[in-house]
Amino acid sequence: MENSQNFDLQLSAYHYELPRDRIAQNPVEPRDRARLLTITSPTEYAHRYVYELPDLLKAGDLLVLNDTKVLPARLFGRKPGGAAVEILLLEAQSAGRWLALVKPGKRLKPGARIHFGENLDQPDLIADVIETDSETNGRILEFTIPSGESFYAVCDRLGKMPLPPYITESTASPERYQTIYADKLGAVAAPTAGLHFTPELLETLAAKGIHRAFVTLHVGVGTFRPVEAATITDHKMHAEWLDVSAATVEKICQTKARGGRVIAVGTTVTRALEGAARTGELQPLQGKTNLFIYPGYQWRVLDGLMTNFHLPESSLMMLVSAMIGRQRLLQLYTEAVRQQYRFYSFGDAMLILPEARRSPA
């Protein structure tokens, strides 16, 4: 048992082989026609669809969703001399300052300036490189908007949706990389488990007595940054901004008091809620979390989880393994590949019901 637990903490233990044709390039339509690998017990599972979710949950359960909205965070500009530059916004640091990844990085040292817009002499947006960020190898950029327009308005006009690099052939519209309930602008990647919901599905869930609440976690580098440490406990999560409101905390407490179950829609909701309960008790929280969940974690809030299929050796795989066990997760991934499930951001989903949870050690 001890050897197995030690292996759970090794990065290599989270590797699996995925044929390239299993990486979804486009989402299914309608959204809720995605497949849903439903884990019903520690040994059983079923092949279902997202639109069947109302039949898989119980009246009195609470779904918690992330209402973050993806910023058109990929911007293309030029240095005053004309050299092309691409930046990917990662995280707001303060008013007018952002952490960003830049290409070509070697040419963008502190003091460099980037112009955005069609006219280099009268740019719509100017970015000055302030410093290098050693953790991400990105840059801290300070933005100036000559017109006085809002930063988000300029990004909406000039920016492109930051689709993950493994999506190379997509014909999806930018709106398809937003959840239908996206509200709080600030993410640089979508909370992808939520992409499967339609207005009709939410209505059906509500009609069956399945409630919902929202948190905000602005998905950033903490979610998609690769784990590089051979022993995963050496990995340091980058903090991401979250807001767990008093109203959501109250709904969760009321749900549990009535005997209902709290189901997170996505790993970002998981980190937000568990991050807000790090003191041992769930409390409202507006701030940042760098919570890293991996096998051995003691759950404080969640009873179940709906999530997409994740990249090998990712922190997201480790989070799901903390709920059902690493070996069990890899077995389910093998079955999903065999059954032609679609993987990653535009892919299918998995539902872990409370009855499937791994018993605490």
Side-chain angles (χ1 to χ4, degrees), residues 172-221:
S173 66
E175 292 76 19
R176 199 54 184 81
Y177 196 56
Q178 299 277 22
T179 63
I180 62 166
Y181 45 80
D183 182 45
K184 312 283 178 37
L185 196 62
V188 299
T192 54
L195 295 178
H196 302 297
F197 286 79
T198 64
E200 295 78 14
L201 177 57
L202 291 176
E203 289 174 7
T204 303
L205 287 163
K208 293 212 167 186
I210 299 159
H211 308 290
R212 63 178 179 266
F214 293 95
V215 300
T216 304
L217 185 141
H218 289 326
V219 188
V221 68

Side-chain angles (χ1 to χ4, degrees), residues 80-123:
V85 174
E86 177 184 345
I87 73 168
L88 174 63
L89 300 172
L90 292 181
E91 177 185 276
Q93 301 285 294
S94 60
R97 287 197 178 192
W98 280 75
L99 169 64
L101 298 179
V102 298
K103 293 182 183 178
K106 291 182 179 179
R107 297 181 185 176
L108 290 170
K109 297 179 180 179
R113 173 165 283 194
I114 311 164
H115 288 180
F116 302 90
E118 294 185 4
N119 188 342
L120 286 180
D121 295 325
Q122 294 181 317

Side-chain angles (χ1 to χ4, degrees), residues 31 70 72 160-161 163 171-179 346:
R31 291 172 181 253
V70 183
K160 303 292 183 184
M161 272 296 178
L163 292 179
T171 58
S173 66
E175 292 76 19
R176 199 54 184 81
Y177 196 56
Q178 299 277 22
T179 63
F346 280 152

Side-chain angles (χ1 to χ4, degrees), residues 96 123-127 142-155 157:
D124 297 292
L125 183 68
I126 298 170
E142 186 170 82
F143 288 95
T144 304
I145 305 168
S147 68
E149 193 176 1
S150 80
F151 177 74
Y152 289 129
V154 174
C155 286
R157 184 159 46 80

Side-chain angles (χ1 to χ4, degrees), residues 28-343:
V28 297
E29 295 295 347
R31 291 172 181 253
D32 61 2
R33 263 45 181 182
R35 298 173 73 185
L36 186 66
L37 182 58
T38 303
I39 321 307
T40 55
S41 81
T43 58
E44 298 174 314
Y45 58 85
H47 300 292
R48 307 294 288 266
Y49 288 87
V50 173
Y51 64 78
E52 297 179 276
L53 193 59
D55 299 323
L56 300 171
L57 301 178
K58 299 177 180 179
D61 285 348
L62 178 69
L63 282 175
V64 186
L65 307 106
N66 185 1
D67 65 3
T68 189
K69 189 173 185 178
V70 183
L71 177 72
R74 196 174 297 278
L75 295 165
F76 300 88
R78 292 188 179 275
K79 294 177 72 174
V85 174
E86 177 184 345
I87 73 168
L88 174 63
L89 300 172
L90 292 181
E91 177 185 276
Q93 301 285 294
S94 60
R97 287 197 178 192
W98 280 75
L99 169 64
L101 298 179
V102 298
K103 293 182 183 178
K106 291 182 179 179
R107 297 181 185 176
L108 290 170
K109 297 179 180 179
R113 173 165 283 194
I114 311 164
H115 288 180
F116 302 90
E118 294 185 4
N119 188 342
L120 286 180
D121 295 325
Q122 294 181 317
D124 297 292
L125 183 68
I126 298 170
D128 290 299
V129 180
I130 303 301
E131 60 183 284
T132 299
D133 180 70
S134 58
E135 185 177 356
T136 62
N137 201 30
R139 302 292 186 273
I140 304 297
L141 304 178
E142 186 170 82
F143 288 95
T144 304
I145 305 168
S147 68
E149 193 176 1
S150 80
F151 177 74
Y152 289 129
V154 174
C155 286
D156 195 47
R157 184 159 46 80
L158 300 180
K160 303 292 183 184
M161 272 296 178
L163 292 179
Y166 49 75
I167 297 179
T168 59
E169 305 165 16
S170 182
T171 58
S173 66
E175 292 76 19
R176 199 54 184 81
Y177 196 56
Q178 299 277 22
T179 63
I180 62 166
Y181 45 80
D183 182 45
K184 312 283 178 37
L185 196 62
V188 299
T192 54
L195 295 178
H196 302 297
F197 286 79
T198 64
E200 295 78 14
L201 177 57
L202 291 176
E203 289 174 7
T204 303
L205 287 163
K208 293 212 167 186
I210 299 159
H211 308 290
R212 63 178 179 266
F214 293 95
V215 300
T216 304
L217 185 141
H218 289 326
V219 188
V221 68
T223 293
F224 58 77
R225 183 185 181 199
V227 177
E228 297 175 343
T231 302
I232 65 174
T233 51
D234 294 332
H235 175 67
K236 303 300 181 186
M237 290 288 284
H238 191 87
E240 292 168 310
W241 189 89
L242 64 87
D243 184 5
V244 177
S245 68
T248 290
V249 170
E250 184 177 0
K251 280 189 176 183
I252 290 171
C253 293
Q254 290 174 347
T255 297
K256 288 183 174 288
R258 293 192 305 262
R261 293 98 53 92
V262 178
I263 312 294
V265 177
T267 57
T268 59
V269 171
T270 303
R271 290 184 65 229
L273 292 179
E274 294 292 326
R278 290 182 83 166
T279 61
E281 180 181 350
L282 180 64
Q283 298 177 345
L285 174 63
Q286 187 177 82
K288 288 188 174 184
T289 184
N290 63 351
L291 178 63
F292 180 21
I293 297 175
Y294 52 84
Y297 179 78
Q298 298 299 309
W299 296 93
R300 295 184 172 95
V301 182
L302 293 184
D303 300 303
L305 171 65
M306 178 177 168
T307 186
N308 280 24
F309 294 92
H310 303 296
L311 274 71
E313 300 183 353
S314 64
S315 65
L316 307 182
M317 277 193 73
M318 296 159 195
L319 182 152
V320 182
S321 295
M323 187 166 279
I324 60 173
R326 179 190 58 82
Q327 290 182 318
R328 175 75 167 142
L329 181 67
L330 289 173
Q331 290 167 356
L332 291 165
Y333 271 42
T334 298
E335 173 66 4
V337 171
R338 191 175 73 83
Q339 293 291 339
Q340 301 287 295
Y341 276 70
R342 304 163 74 250
F343 277 60

